[in-house]
């Protein structure tokens, strides 16, 4: 493995470029699996005869295990070696994707999606921590994180495009099959490009109780959030699930403060700005992932777009997000991360508020595209700068944990945003239908209110972002603890 002194020039080498391409491919693969299936859901429902409550678990199942097991995946990467955990997760994701494509019933399909989430929860923190330990703080890491952030943001939008193209082309099963050959390439490339980073010295104990509390608490939280729109927020089942999750997570924090080898050493939150960066990411994810959900429904249910047309509609968003990520990388050393996170969050809020004006007889060019582009520029800045801020000053032995915390924040935020905004849109739609409006007008009214609330959530993220670290990616940046 290269020494820290050599790593600032790593991207100048062919090997460095290949390592970065590999890690970003892994990020793209994991993130795209969260959205590529969405456009194919109606086709799955028709082909397999699924009811709506069963169908939602095709997406919710992936989110449940992905978000619930992310902390465990990050800690395993730190303890057992990032390459080993990355390979295990890739095998699991590739096999489960193939099984999902072959499924002819709901049980096997949902089981495959749960397993895909487990594989992704192992892969993603291992990949991001490999990036932050391979490319040391300085220009190399700025560039690497900007490409990673761009890949993560692009995946969410590209998933809709790929899902539409595959569903209307070879069929919905290919939204699963497409994963397997990519996983095979990853399995070939990882041993060739990444060193064996297993620890030779003592690893410390494994926090079995903390792992059980964190995993069960996070999975109950995600489950409660994804079920809330169906049950109702004031339903006894929703309150019981969220209450049990809260109790388990409080018990987890108490356990971590007392055990010798914690799953999440609480000292990591003394790194300046780390907690604020994760909370910002959670809040931004709540607004953005809900936007994809709501806007896709508007395009298909109100404007009558096909799956492929819906996917193509997100292409400008993807291109602008990629451009914004590149610009952000060049600005990091000049401005620091904080102004970029705050400014990007404001732009995302403005874009969502613009989108909240969509009319029932709207057009894509006049009513959707401007807000989408504004939001894309903001998202590119936020993804890159927040990822940099959340990893600034993190020691190598906690890089997997830091990566897991950031991506857990994204998953919880996405689940929370979709749950809240879906409930808001559904309630408004029901009210407008009861008042005598047409179904299209009532749905549009619900979507508008949800997008407006999403915009306000993004603006709230801008306030939280003022407490993030203002890192400029300095070489050898020390671990900095808060003093108050």
């Amino acid at each position: 493995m290269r020494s820290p002194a050599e790593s600032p020039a790593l991207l100048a080498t062919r090997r460095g470029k290949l390592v970065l391409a590999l890690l970003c491919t892994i990020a793209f693969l994991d993130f795209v699996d969260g959205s590529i299936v969405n456009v194919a859901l109606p086709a799955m429902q028709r082909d397999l005869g699924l009811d709506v409550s069963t169908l939602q678990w095709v997406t919710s199942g992936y989110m449940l295990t992905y978000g619930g097991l992310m902390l465990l995946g990050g800690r395993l990467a730190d303890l057992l070696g990032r390459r080993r955990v990355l390979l295990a997760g890739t095998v699991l994701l590739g096999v489960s994707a193939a099984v999902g494509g072959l499924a002819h019933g709901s049980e096997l399909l949902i089981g495959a999606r749960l397993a895909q989430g487990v594989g992704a929860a192992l892969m993603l923190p291992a990949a991001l921590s490999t990036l932050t330990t391979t490319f040391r703080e300085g220009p190399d890491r700025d560039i690497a994180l900007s490409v990673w952030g761009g890949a993560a943001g692009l995946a969410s939008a590209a998933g809709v495009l790929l899902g539409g193209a595959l569903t209307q082309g070879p069929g919905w099963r290919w939204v699963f099959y497409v994963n397997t050959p990519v996983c095979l390439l990853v399995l070939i490339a990882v041993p060739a490009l990444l060193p064996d980073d297993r620890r030779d010295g003592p690893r410390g104990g494994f926090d079995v109780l903390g792992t059980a509390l964190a995993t069960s608490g996070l999975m109950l939280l995600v489950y409660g959030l994804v079920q809330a729109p169906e049950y109702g927020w004031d339903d006894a089942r929703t309150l019981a699930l969220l209450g049990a999750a809260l109790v388990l997570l409080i018990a987890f924090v108490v356990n971590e403060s007392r055990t010798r080898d914690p799953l999440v050493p609480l000292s990591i939150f003394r790194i300046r700005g780390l907690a604020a960066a994760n909370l910002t990411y959670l809040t931004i994810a709540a607004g953005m992932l809900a936007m994809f959900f709501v806007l896709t429904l508007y395009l298909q249910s109100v404007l009558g777009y096909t799956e492929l047309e819906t996917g193509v509609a997100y292409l400008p968003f993807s291109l602008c997000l990629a451009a914004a990520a590149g610009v952000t990388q060049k600005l990091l050393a000049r401005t620091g991360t904080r102004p970029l996170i705050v400014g990007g969050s404001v732009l995302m809020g403005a874009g969502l508020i613009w989108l909240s004006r969509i009319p029932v007889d709207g057009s894509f060019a006049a009513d959707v595209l401007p807000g989408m582009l504004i939001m894309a520029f903001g998202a590119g800045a936020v993804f890159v700068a927040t990822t940099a801020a959340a990893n600034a000053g993190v020691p190598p032995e906690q890089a997997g944990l830091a990566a897991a915390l950031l991506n857990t924040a994204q998953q919880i935020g996405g689940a929370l945003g979709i749950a809240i905004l879906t409930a808001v849109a559904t309630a408004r739609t029901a009210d407008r239908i009861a008042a005598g409006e047409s179904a299209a007008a009532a749905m549009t009214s619900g979507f508008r209110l949800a997008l407006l609330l999403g915009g306000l959530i993004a603006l709230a993220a801008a306030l939280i972002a003022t407490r993030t670290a203002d890192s400029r990616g300095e070489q050898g940046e020390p671990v900095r603890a808060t003093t108050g």
Side-chain angles (χ1 to χ4, degrees):
M1 181 179 286
R2 292 176 180 269
S3 68
E6 294 177 300
S7 58
L10 183 58
L11 269 181
T13 68
R14 179 174 178 271
R15 184 179 184 84
K17 292 181 176 67
L18 289 174
V19 169
L20 179 58
L22 169 63
L23 297 176
C24 289
T25 298
I26 294 166
F28 189 91
L29 181 65
D30 286 354
F31 282 116
V32 83
D33 271 333
S35 59
I36 192 172
V37 170
N38 290 343
V39 180
L41 291 176
M44 292 181 204
Q45 185 178 26
R46 290 191 300 269
D47 193 17
L48 301 180
L50 306 179
D51 58 41
V52 175
S53 61
T54 301
L55 187 68
Q56 73 157 337
W57 278 104
V58 179
T59 53
S60 299
Y62 181 82
M63 187 180 294
L64 179 67
T65 50
Y66 191 19
L69 297 173
M70 189 77 71
L71 285 179
L72 176 60
R75 189 58 175 157
L76 289 175
D78 288 337
L79 291 175
L80 304 180
R82 298 178 187 100
R83 190 177 79 168
R84 177 188 290 184
V85 172
L86 183 53
L87 289 170
T90 304
V91 170
L92 181 56
L93 190 143
V95 171
S96 59
V99 171
L102 293 170
H104 287 278
S106 60
E107 295 84 0
L108 188 58
L109 179 61
I110 293 171
R113 286 295 281 171
L114 290 167
Q116 272 189 281
V118 177
L122 294 174
M123 292 171 70
L124 197 67
L128 181 53
S129 58
T130 297
L131 184 149
T132 57
T133 53
T134 300
F135 303 100
R136 308 298 294 180
E137 277 138 332
D140 261 22
R141 184 185 284 188
D142 289 347
I143 295 171
L145 286 175
S146 72
V147 178
W148 172 280
L154 280 171
S156 297
V160 182
L161 175 59
L162 291 172
L166 291 170
T167 301
Q168 285 196 209
W172 66 263
R173 296 182 184 277
W174 281 89
V175 303
F176 296 105
Y177 290 149
V178 73
N179 288 274
T180 303
V182 180
C183 287
L184 290 174
L185 292 175
V186 170
L187 289 173
I188 294 169
V190 166
L193 292 173
L194 302 183
D196 188 349
D197 60 342
R198 286 177 291 182
R199 293 187 185 180
D200 295 327
R203 295 175 181 169
F206 190 76
D207 181 12
V208 176
L209 178 58
T211 299
L213 290 170
T215 302
S216 56
L218 287 171
M219 291 184 76
L220 271 179
L221 177 60
V222 175
Y223 180 69
L225 291 174
V226 299
Q227 290 290 90
E230 180 182 354
Y231 292 162
W233 285 93
D234 57 352
D235 185 85
R237 288 169 292 186
T238 300
L239 297 175
L241 286 169
L242 298 180
L246 180 61
V247 170
L248 288 169
L249 292 175
I250 291 173
F252 167 70
V253 173
V254 173
N255 177 76
E256 299 306 277
S257 67
R258 296 178 177 179
T259 190
R260 176 181 296 181
D261 297 301
L263 176 69
V264 180
L266 299 182
S267 60
I268 195 172
F269 293 106
R270 291 201 295 269
I271 297 174
R272 183 169 63 84
L274 183 141
N278 279 273
L279 185 55
T280 301
Y281 212 58
L282 183 152
T283 310
I284 281 295
M288 178 166 172
L289 296 184
M291 180 277 291
F292 284 119
F293 184 80
V294 171
L295 204 57
T296 298
L297 289 176
Y298 171 73
L299 292 173
Q300 292 187 349
S301 302
V302 178
L303 298 189
Y305 280 34
T306 65
E307 292 94 341
L308 182 59
E309 289 170 337
T310 302
V312 171
Y314 284 103
L315 187 58
F317 182 94
S318 301
L319 295 175
C320 286
L321 190 148
V327 172
T328 300
Q329 176 267 314
K330 297 181 183 301
L331 292 175
L332 277 176
R334 298 181 186 177
T335 66
T337 52
R338 189 186 301 146
L340 292 167
I341 301 171
V342 173
S345 299
V346 170
L347 280 177
M348 289 185 70
L352 281 164
I353 291 171
W354 182 296
L355 287 170
S356 71
R357 301 164 57 249
I358 51 174
V360 68
D361 56 349
S363 71
F364 177 77
D367 301 303
V368 177
L369 184 60
M372 184 183 282
L373 295 182
I374 294 170
M375 190 177 174
F377 280 112
V382 169
F383 283 143
V384 174
T386 307
T387 304
N391 287 280
V394 175
E397 65 272 14
Q398 291 185 324
L401 174 59
L405 286 170
L406 186 66
N407 288 289
T408 298
Q410 184 196 43
Q411 292 303 308
I412 298 299
L416 182 62
I418 291 174
I420 292 175
L421 298 192
T422 299
V424 167
T426 301
R428 171 60 70 90
T429 299
D431 288 345
R432 301 317 301 165
I433 288 178
E437 288 190 2
S438 67
M443 282 191 292
T444 302
S445 180
F447 297 153
R448 291 178 63 163
L449 182 58
L451 290 167
L452 176 61
L453 181 56
L456 297 177
I457 290 173
L459 294 179
L463 294 177
I464 299 169
T466 60
R467 306 298 298 172
T468 59
D470 196 15
S471 169
R472 286 174 168 79
E474 294 87 356
Q475 177 77 23
E477 188 176 350
V479 179
R480 296 158 295 187
T482 56
T483 56

